[in-house]
C-alpha cells in the first residue's frame, strides 16, 4: 500500500548525495507562520476575470472527469448528484483559498492512480491527508522540505499514476457506444487536450486572450 510513498522517500534520499537538493530554502523558512487574511489585498481586474473564466471552465470539466475516475477506481460509480457535490466542494474551497492568498483548488488526476495502486479509497484517509496539509501550511520548514523535492522523484511516481489515469479513461471509453457523434467528441477532446499541448504553435496566431 505504501509503495509510492516509499519510492518517493528513497528517491528523495538518493538525490541528497547527488547534489540535487538545495536545503537553503528550508534553512531560510520560518518554523511557524499563521496564514494572513487578504495578505495581497483585494483587486478586481476585468481582464484577469475574463482570462480566468475559461481556465475555471476547463478545471471544472477536469474535476468532473477526475470524480468519475475516482468512482471507477473505487468500484463505486458516482451519481450525478455526487459529482455535482464534488465540483461544488472545489468551488467553495477555491473561494476560501482566495482569502488566505492561496491559488484556487483544482483536482490532480494523477492522485486517482493511487487508488488502484494502494487499494485504498477511504474518505477518512483523504481527511487525514487534508489535516496533514493544514499542519504543513503553518510550519513552513516542513512544507518547504516537500516543496524542494526534485522533479525526477515526482516524475518517477507520476509515470505510474498518470499511466493508470489514462488506463482508467480507456476503460471508461470501452463501455461507450462509438457512434459517429461520440467519435467526434473523443477526437476533439484528444485533439485539443493533447494536440495543443504537444504543438502549442497551432494557436500562436490567435489573439492573446484566446491563446
Amino acid at each position: 500500500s505504501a509503495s509510492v510513498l516509499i519510492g518517493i522517500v528513497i528517491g528523495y534520499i538518493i538525490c541528497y548525495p547527488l547534489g540535487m537538493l538545495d536545503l537553503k530554502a528550508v534553512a531560510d523558512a520560518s518554523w511557524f507562520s499563521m496564514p494572513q487574511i487578504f495578505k495581497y489585498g483585494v483587486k478586481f481586474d476585468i481582464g484577469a476575470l475574463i482570462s480566468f473564466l475559461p481556465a475555471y471552465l476547463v478545471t471544472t470539466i477536469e474535476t468532473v472527469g477526475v470524480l468519475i475516475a475516482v468512482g471507477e477506481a473505487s468500484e463505486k460509480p458516482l451519481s450525478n448528484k455526487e459529482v455535482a457535490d464534488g465540483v461544488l466542494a472545489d468551488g467553495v474551497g477555491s473561494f476560501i483559498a482566495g482569502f488566505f492568498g492561496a491559488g484556487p483548488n483544482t483536482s490532480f488526476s494523477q492522485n486517482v492512480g493511487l487508488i488502484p495502486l494502494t487499494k485504498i479509497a477511504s474518505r477518512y484517509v483523504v481527511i487525514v491527508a487534508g489535516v496533514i496539509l493544514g499542519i504543513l501550511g503553518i510550519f513552513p520548514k516542513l512544507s518547504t522540505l516537500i516543496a524542494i523535492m526534485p522533479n525526477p522523484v515526482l516524475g518517477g511516481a507520476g509515470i505510474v499514476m498518470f499511466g493508470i489515469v489514462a488506463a482508467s479513461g480507456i476503460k471508461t471509453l470501452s463501455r461507450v457506444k462509438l457512434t459517429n457523434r461520440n467519435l467526434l467528441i473523443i477526437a476533439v477532446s484528444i485533439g485539443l487536450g493533447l494536440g495543443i499541448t504537444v504543438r502549442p504553435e497551432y494557436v500562436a496566431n490567435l489573439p492573446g486572450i484566446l491563446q
Side-chain angles (χ1 to χ4, degrees):
S1 294
S3 57
V4 176
L5 180 61
I6 292 168
I8 289 174
V9 171
I10 291 174
Y12 198 105
I13 294 169
I14 290 172
C15 285
Y16 182 71
L18 295 175
M20 299 174 67
L21 275 175
D22 182 9
L23 296 174
K24 185 178 183 303
V26 179
D28 292 343
S30 57
W31 280 104
F32 182 81
S33 176
M34 286 299 290
Q36 297 178 34
I37 306 293
F38 294 133
K39 179 180 179 180
Y40 303 103
V42 180
K43 179 184 178 184
F44 291 97
D45 183 297
I46 189 66
L49 289 171
I50 292 171
S51 61
F52 264 89
L53 279 175
Y56 260 98
L57 287 173
V58 169
T59 52
T60 301
I61 294 166
E62 181 190 12
T63 299
V64 169
V66 168
L67 290 167
I68 291 170
V70 165
E72 297 273 355
S74 309
E75 297 180 359
K76 183 189 177 298
L78 301 183
S79 66
N80 288 343
K81 169 81 167 53
E82 288 170 319
V83 171
D85 288 345
V87 174
L88 177 62
D90 251 11
V92 172
S94 297
F95 175 74
I96 294 171
F99 287 91
F100 295 97
N105 299 336
T106 180
S107 49
F108 281 80
S109 10
Q110 67 266 37
N111 292 331
V112 179
L114 284 171
I115 297 173
L117 280 174
T118 62
K119 308 298 184 199
I120 295 171
S122 168
R123 69 184 65 189
Y124 299 108
V125 173
V126 178
I127 292 169
V128 171
V131 171
I132 291 171
L133 288 171
I135 292 170
L136 290 175
I138 58 176
F139 294 105
K141 275 198 189 295
L142 295 177
S143 53
T144 306
L145 200 59
I146 294 171
I148 64 168
M149 186 180 297
N151 286 331
V153 178
L154 288 173
I159 286 173
V160 178
M161 292 191 285
F162 275 119
I164 288 177
V165 172
S168 297
I170 294 168
K171 181 181 175 183
T172 303
L173 286 175
S174 69
R175 293 194 292 272
V176 174
K177 188 177 181 183
L178 294 179
T179 60
N180 285 340
R181 178 179 181 274
N182 286 344
L183 278 172
L184 183 62
I185 292 170
I186 294 166
V188 171
S189 300
I190 293 173
L192 290 176
L194 290 178
I196 293 174
T197 304
V198 176
R199 301 297 295 270
E201 63 270 22
Y202 285 166
V203 293
N205 293 321
L206 287 174
I209 194 166
L210 291 178
Q211 287 186 42

